[in-house]
Amino acid sequence: MLLIKIIVFLLTRCNLKTLHTIGSFLGITIYYLLPGRRRIARKNLRIALGENFNEKILKESFKNSFKSMMEIFYTNRIDESFIAKNIRLNDLTYLKEALEKGKPIFLITGHIGSWEFLPAVYSSITKGKIAIVGKSTRSKKIDDILHRLRTRENIHFISHSNAIVSIQRFFKKGIPVGALLDQGGLEKNCFFIDLFGIKTTFVKGLPIYASKIGAVILIGFLIREDDKYTIKIYPPIEPAETLDQVAAAEKLAYQINQIYEDIIRKYPEQWFTLNKRFKRVLENENGKIGSIY
């Protein structure tokens, strides 16, 4: 643990260019050393891109994924000055529209682009607080390190285990909650929702809760472009009032996946492809569950 603390200390002192260089090196090293992960990533990209897939995109996805992971060591240095120099804000109309609705807000992103930076960027832009839902590890000491890296005065962490109680508490205070919803799960906890033409798992807890309370869902990404970052925000979506709660939640999940498809097709080299995103898929109408790996 002492060695880990020393490494974390050193990495938090690195500038962003150095962290990206380390990330690129780790990514290309993993690409060559772990053929199993390479096959998984290639399968994911072939599903998403079809005939537009090529090996260069695959290599870049490995490098970009590890760049993104290394950015966790820089998050506490994001401020107004960093944003002014490095981030194109473009049109924030959809963000303002969501905030003006006066409803609970889920801020959704995915493992594409710079997901580690987004909470700090949001907090700096809005001068407001945000709570982020994330998975805990099996080590409390590792969790403590990750929490210190990811949180600060205006950024709070919610463990995914029994998250609803904490989410309710933050919503009562008018604080938006951020989450990544592009990972699969056990079938008992999921809907099977189309993603690139394949019905695969989508964890249903958040869309069901959003449907129950009428929350606004705002989906955005921080994409690397020309040595800078650009915020991409999609129109807010809300539960359909004409549908029952479960049907409304399934529709929300479908709409979220449609946005994931759009951003991945536009920036496939920035998609985190190393995990088995299609580990559980619905193979036929009889409910048979299989895997594409």
Side-chain angles (χ1 to χ4, degrees):
M1 184 53 65
L2 177 60
L3 178 60
I4 291 176
K5 288 182 177 180
I6 292 172
I7 293 172
V8 170
F9 175 82
L10 294 174
L11 289 173
T12 54
R13 268 64 185 173
C14 292
N15 61 40
L16 188 56
K17 184 176 180 181
T18 300
L19 290 173
H20 281 169
T21 300
I22 294 170
S24 292
F25 173 77
L26 290 173
I28 204 66
T29 300
I30 295 298
Y31 171 86
Y32 284 110
L33 291 184
L34 298 182
R37 287 295 159 183
R38 193 166 67 240
R39 285 192 293 271
I40 290 169
R42 185 180 291 114
K43 187 75 172 179
N44 289 336
L45 282 167
R46 286 190 184 279
I47 289 171
L49 302 179
E51 62 183 16
N52 293 321
F53 167 82
N54 62 63
E55 202 70 16
K56 181 180 179 181
I57 293 174
L58 179 62
K59 288 182 180 179
E60 288 300 312
S61 76
F62 272 73
K63 292 195 289 185
N64 273 302
S65 293
F66 282 86
K67 280 184 183 179
S68 297
M69 287 186 273
M70 294 303 296
E71 286 172 346
I72 191 174
F73 300 106
Y74 199 88
T75 53
N76 282 320
R77 285 177 273 175
I78 292 177
D79 54 18
E80 292 181 6
S81 175
F82 176 87
I83 290 173
K85 292 177 182 177
N86 298 284
I87 297 181
R88 301 182 185 94
L89 299 179
N90 294 344
D91 189 354
L92 299 180
T93 301
Y94 293 137
L95 173 59
K96 295 174 182 176
E97 180 183 326
L99 292 171
E100 289 171 356
K101 288 180 179 291
K103 297 181 177 181
I105 300 174
F106 279 113
L107 299 171
I108 304 303
T109 190
H111 291 87
I112 184 169
S114 180
W115 62 84
E116 291 286 359
F117 277 178
L118 264 178
V121 171
Y122 171 85
S123 179
S124 295
I125 290 172
T126 63
K127 309 291 189 265
K129 296 181 179 182
I130 181 174
I132 52 176
V133 180
K135 290 185 177 181
S136 298
T137 70
R138 296 180 181 179
S139 167
K140 186 179 184 305
K141 292 181 179 179
I142 295 295
D143 282 340
D144 288 343
I145 292 172
L146 293 174
H147 294 173
R148 285 198 297 273
L149 292 170
R150 285 177 170 145
T151 62
R152 50 191 185 188
E153 183 180 0
N154 286 340
I155 303 174
H156 306 275
F157 180 82
I158 299 172
S159 174
H160 76 291
S161 300
N162 301 314
I164 294 299
V165 173
S166 297
I167 291 172
Q168 289 173 333
R169 187 173 71 250
F170 284 108
F171 277 165
K172 286 179 180 178
K173 297 177 181 178
I175 298 173
V177 173
L180 296 94
L181 298 181
D182 59 338
Q183 302 295 294
L186 298 174
E187 49 264 36
K188 66 179 182 179
N189 300 324
C190 295
F191 296 129
F192 280 88
I193 304 295
D194 275 355
L195 183 66
F196 298 112
I198 297 174
K199 287 190 180 296
T200 190
T201 51
F202 189 111
V203 178
K204 61 187 177 183
L206 189 148
I208 285 179
Y209 185 60
S211 299
K212 180 180 179 180
I213 65 172
V216 176
I217 294 179
L218 186 69
I219 305 174
F221 307 90
L222 193 60
I223 299 297
R224 296 186 190 90
E225 290 183 320
D226 304 322
D227 296 324
K228 289 192 176 185
Y229 300 87
T230 303
I231 291 181
K232 308 284 186 179
I233 302 177
Y234 287 75
I237 58 178
E238 298 182 60
E241 296 180 357
T242 57
L243 299 176
D244 64 59
Q245 191 177 115
V246 174
E250 286 186 297
K251 183 176 180 180
L252 286 177
Y254 174 79
Q255 291 172 298
I256 293 168
N257 268 1
Q258 290 292 294
I259 291 174
Y260 282 145
E261 286 187 15
D262 182 69
I263 198 73
I264 288 167
R265 285 194 175 109
K266 289 176 179 174
Y267 305 98
E269 73 287 349
Q270 296 191 45
W271 183 29
F272 182 81
T273 55
L274 282 73
N275 69 314
K276 294 182 178 181
R277 181 61 189 90
F278 302 91
K279 185 175 182 179
R280 297 176 180 88
V281 300
L282 200 61
E283 293 187 339
N284 56 46
E285 295 180 356
N286 295 324
K288 182 181 178 182
I289 297 170
S291 175
I292 59 98
Y293 303 104

